[in-house]
């Protein structure tokens, strides 16, 4: 990979993505055979979570432990010097003395880019406000590749809140590197932003619709997102929209046998629990994908995996 | 003989071909000190623009950063450096590929508003103007950019 940090999926070329996915695949195989690996023995990861995100933090920590490394860090800013008024730049300049790689989650957009500019050690963005969460996108791609053995040639639907969902924005951009057909399925008012559609429409075929039933029989992947209640100024508006999509067994009746349902989680009510134990559900395997993908990124940035 | 709308200057900078109505904005962003004599002509007839504004600043040669600032709001402007009543150098203003420190990010949640860091933008398009914040990746179009000049 040609860069030292992982800040934005926009920094990735297709060959970078493919490289990370290949390394992740290799590490997953090694993990199965050997259990905990030793690539990062003697290395320390600092997880700086200025806002809580339990699952992302645990996933990074688990990945580092499975690489044989150690983890330090904090899970919320209130227990740190930030509360005393310390700047992000000073926190980074301090922590880089304790760790070989830093993972940062911060409520302000651009915080990870700034941290990477300040730090002498590699920085991985684990979410900066509404901007980027590149490792989520990479694990989404890894899941698709694992489920189908490929990404090219698939029909992929992104469903739900496509307007505000940072996950689907990054995923759509990354998928545009591949030979796929994308369906953007959203209720009125929550459509994919025009600038993203325009940016990728010359690379992939895009179908924009609000009709989930019409799309279901055609797609290989149904990527469901939560409609975020907190985005709606009027609760009545949210209540009107929240019921618009619910992926349940009835909806899936018309699906291809091989359809995989994905979701970045947490879900609220957009996927019925009855789907969990069907052949369609891939969302918990998607959670697992975070481990090999984050192991790959940590290993590559630490220079212990080629 | 060509009639001069504003008097000539001995030494300094003449900013010509500013789109009519943007002269005052150019003055505002240049943030010139009280020591400079400034002459301004507004809504002057222009073969190139129809109508234009002209600013003459006595005793000051604009630096590159200042010229770049002008490019953002008056891309058609030309900057003439005057010495001994004559034009010594004629510069066409040009929007650079990267803009550093001239404007602030329009995104209120951008880290640049909270840390001591110089805002930096990549120019995605010069016409129409479209910038992308180096830090938060938010894009800004011309009308928003003009409201966020530092």
């Amino acid at each position: 990979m040609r860069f030292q940090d992982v800040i934005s999926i926009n920094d990735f070329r297709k060959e970078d993505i493919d490289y990370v996915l290949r390394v992740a695949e290799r590490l997953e195989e090694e993990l199965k055979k050997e259990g905990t690996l030793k690539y990062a023995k003697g290395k320390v990861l600092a997880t700086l979570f200025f806002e809580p995100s339990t699952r992302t933090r645990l996933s990074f920590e688990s990945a580092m432990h499975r690489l044989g490394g150690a983890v330090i860090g904090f899970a919320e800013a209130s227990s740190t010097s930030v509360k005393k008024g310390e700047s992000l730049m000073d926190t980074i300049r301090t922590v880089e003395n304790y760790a070989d790689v830093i993972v940062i989650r911060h409520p302000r957009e651009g915080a990870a880019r700034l941290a990477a500019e300040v730090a002498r050690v590699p920085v991985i963005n684990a979410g900066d406000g509404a901007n980027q969460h590149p490792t989520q996108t990479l694990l989404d791609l890894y899941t698709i590749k694992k489920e189908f053995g490929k990404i090219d040639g698939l029909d992929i639907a992104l469903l739900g809140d496509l307007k505000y969902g940072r996950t689907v924005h990054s995923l759509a951009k990354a998928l545009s590197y591949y030979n796929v057909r994308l369906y953007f399925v959203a209720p009125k008012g929550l459509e994919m932003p025009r600038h993203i559609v325009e940016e990728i429409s010359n690379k992939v075929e895009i179908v924009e619709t609000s009709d989930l039933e019409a799309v279901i029989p055609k797609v290989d992947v149904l990527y469901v997102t939560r409609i975020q209640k907190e985005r709606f100024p009027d609760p009545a508006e949210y209540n009107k929209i929240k019921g618009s999509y619910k992926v349940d067994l009835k909806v899936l009746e018309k699906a291809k046998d091989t359809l995989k349902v994905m979701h970045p989680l947490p879900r609220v009510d957009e996927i019925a629990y009855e789907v969990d134990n069907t052949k369609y559900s891939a969302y918990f395997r998607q959670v697992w994908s975070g481990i090999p993908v984050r192991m790959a990124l940590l290993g590559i940035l630490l220079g212990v995996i080629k | 003989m060509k009639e001069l709308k504003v008097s000539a200057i001995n030494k300094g900078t003449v900013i010509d071909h500013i789109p009519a109505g943007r002269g005052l904005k150019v003055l505002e962003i240049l943030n010139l000190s009280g020591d400079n004599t400034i002459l301004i002509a507004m809504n002057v007839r222009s073969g190139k623009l129809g109508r234009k504004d002209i600013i003459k600043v006595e005793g000051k040669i604009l630096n590159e950063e200042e010229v770049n600032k002008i490019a953002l709001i008056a891309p058609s402007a030309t900057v003439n450096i005057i010495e001994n009543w004559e034009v010594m150098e004629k510069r066409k203003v040009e929007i650079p590929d990267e803009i550093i420190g001239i404007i602030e990010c329009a995104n209120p949640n951008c880290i640049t508003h909270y840390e001591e860091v110089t805002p930096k933008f990549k120019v995605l398009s010069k016409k129409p103007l479209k910038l992308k914040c180096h830090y938060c990746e938010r894009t800004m179009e011309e009308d928003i950019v003009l409201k966020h000049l530092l």
Side-chain angles (χ1 to χ4, degrees):
Chain A
M1 215 159 59
R2 79 210 136 84
F3 37 84
Q4 301 299 310
D5 309 287
V6 174
I7 304 303
S8 165
I9 203 69
N10 296 325
D11 299 334
F12 278 72
R13 298 180 305 199
K14 182 174 185 288
E15 48 266 45
D16 300 320
I17 294 174
D18 287 340
Y19 172 58
V20 173
L21 303 190
R22 272 199 313 275
V23 173
E25 218 157 0
R26 201 182 84 205
L27 289 173
E28 187 170 2
E29 286 304 311
E30 289 181 32
L31 259 186
K32 272 186 204 151
K33 277 189 213 144
E34 299 171 36
T36 301
L37 308 177
K38 291 181 181 150
Y39 288 108
K41 194 164 183 284
K43 302 285 185 187
V44 177
L45 160 68
T47 53
L48 312 186
F49 277 62
F50 291 86
E51 66 174 12
S53 169
T54 312
R55 80 188 63 221
T56 303
R57 184 171 56 82
L58 292 181
S59 175
F60 270 109
E61 293 186 359
S62 174
M64 189 59 173
H65 285 303
R66 286 166 200 260
L67 273 179
V71 179
I72 57 171
F74 53 83
E76 51 182 314
S78 62
S79 59
T80 71
S81 294
V82 172
K83 214 181 166 189
K84 299 175 193 161
E86 185 177 58
S87 70
L88 170 64
M89 292 194 281
D90 279 1
T91 304
I92 297 295
R93 286 186 187 115
T94 304
V95 171
E96 68 179 359
N97 294 286
Y98 308 145
D100 302 291
V101 56
I102 292 172
V103 169
I104 180 173
R105 159 71 67 112
H106 199 282
R108 306 271 180 230
E109 285 121 43
R113 180 81 66 193
L114 178 62
E117 286 182 352
V118 171
R120 285 171 297 157
V121 298
V123 171
I124 300 176
N125 185 5
D128 59 331
N131 184 32
Q132 282 279 331
H133 191 6
T135 62
Q136 175 70 44
T137 302
L138 291 167
L139 78 85
D140 290 342
L141 294 172
Y142 184 73
T143 308
I144 295 172
K145 198 177 167 204
K146 287 278 289 181
E147 296 291 327
F148 293 92
K150 62 176 186 178
I151 298 173
D152 285 317
L154 298 177
D155 283 42
I156 298 168
L158 308 183
L159 169 74
D161 176 4
L162 305 188
K163 182 178 181 183
Y164 298 110
R166 124 187 113 181
T167 318
V168 281
H169 298 169
S170 303
L171 183 57
K173 281 187 197 173
L175 282 169
S176 72
Y177 287 142
Y178 296 87
N179 177 26
V180 294
R181 186 183 289 126
L182 296 178
Y183 294 81
F184 295 157
V185 190
K188 200 173 169 342
L190 292 180
E191 293 95 349
M192 186 67 84
R194 296 323 302 162
H195 68 94
I196 295 180
V197 176
E198 281 162 20
E199 191 183 324
I200 65 176
S201 58
N202 57 349
K203 299 181 196 158
V204 283
E205 189 183 336
I206 295 170
V207 178
E208 290 186 272
T209 178
S210 58
D211 188 352
L212 175 61
E213 271 192 45
V215 164
I216 277 281
K218 298 176 184 169
V219 295
D220 302 296
V221 175
L222 179 63
Y223 191 101
V224 187
T225 62
R226 181 169 65 94
I227 293 178
Q228 300 165 91
K229 191 177 184 177
E230 60 274 21
R231 303 287 189 187
F232 289 80
D234 179 1
E237 277 302 302
Y238 167 73
N239 287 330
K240 220 163 39 184
I241 283 182
K242 79 167 184 181
S244 29
Y245 301 113
K246 178 159 189 149
V247 178
D248 55 19
L249 293 182
K250 190 166 183 316
V251 168
L252 293 172
E253 269 173 13
K254 291 181 190 160
K256 286 182 186 176
D257 262 9
T258 51
L259 171 80
K260 298 298 172 204
V261 178
M262 293 173 61
H263 192 301
L265 302 178
R267 69 174 150 181
V268 182
D269 55 6
E270 56 278 0
I271 301 177
Y273 287 104
E274 63 192 16
V275 179
D276 293 1
N277 293 318
T278 66
K279 61 191 171 195
Y280 302 115
S281 109
Y283 31 93
F284 291 117
R285 289 194 293 279
Q286 190 181 350
V287 176
W288 159 254
S289 294
I291 300 296
V293 166
R294 288 172 173 136
M295 285 173 74
L297 292 170
L298 288 167
I300 293 165
L301 294 185
L302 283 168
V304 295
I305 292 173
K306 298 284 176 215
Chain B
M1 193 178 152
K2 196 173 165 184
E3 182 197 353
L4 287 174
K5 294 277 183 197
V6 280
S7 52
I9 54 174
N10 173 15
K11 183 181 176 171
T13 307
V14 175
I15 309 158
D16 200 356
H17 300 111
I18 301 167
R22 295 209 178 167
L24 291 176
K25 192 76 198 169
V26 169
L27 267 188
E28 192 184 314
I29 61 161
L30 287 178
N31 201 18
L32 298 167
S33 72
D35 298 338
N36 301 110
T37 301
I38 300 160
L39 306 163
I40 179 163
M42 298 185 74
N43 230 17
V44 178
R45 197 165 290 145
S46 158
K48 198 165 129 192
L49 298 175
R51 293 278 171 182
K52 67 177 180 180
D53 293 352
I54 307 169
I55 294 170
K56 301 189 179 191
V57 187
E58 195 139 34
K60 181 176 172 70
I61 309 293
L62 293 184
N63 63 33
E64 197 184 335
E65 190 185 302
E66 289 163 328
V67 171
N68 287 346
K69 273 189 184 183
I70 296 169
L72 287 177
I73 54 171
S76 57
T78 46
V79 176
N80 301 313
I81 309 299
I82 311 292
E83 295 263 9
N84 291 324
W85 309 98
E86 286 187 17
V87 177
M88 295 306 291
E89 193 188 333
K90 219 175 177 86
R91 292 189 211 156
K92 184 99 183 75
V93 301
E94 202 188 337
I95 297 171
D97 296 331
E98 197 175 44
I99 290 168
I100 299 169
I102 299 169
I103 44 177
E104 62 172 4
C105 184
N107 173 8
N109 200 36
C110 179
I111 192 70
T112 53
H113 297 298
Y114 299 88
E115 296 276 325
E116 292 235 354
V117 56
T118 309
K120 201 153 79 174
F121 299 86
K122 190 179 171 197
V123 178
L124 298 180
S125 156
K126 292 184 182 178
K127 208 175 179 185
L129 186 63
K130 196 172 180 183
L131 310 181
K132 183 179 181 182
C133 175
H134 167 73
Y135 292 97
C136 76
E137 305 192 2
R138 184 75 64 91
T139 54
M140 294 161 70
E141 308 210 344
E142 187 166 343
D143 54 333
I144 306 289
V145 171
L146 295 182
K147 287 181 190 151
H148 289 86
L149 290 161
L150 284 171

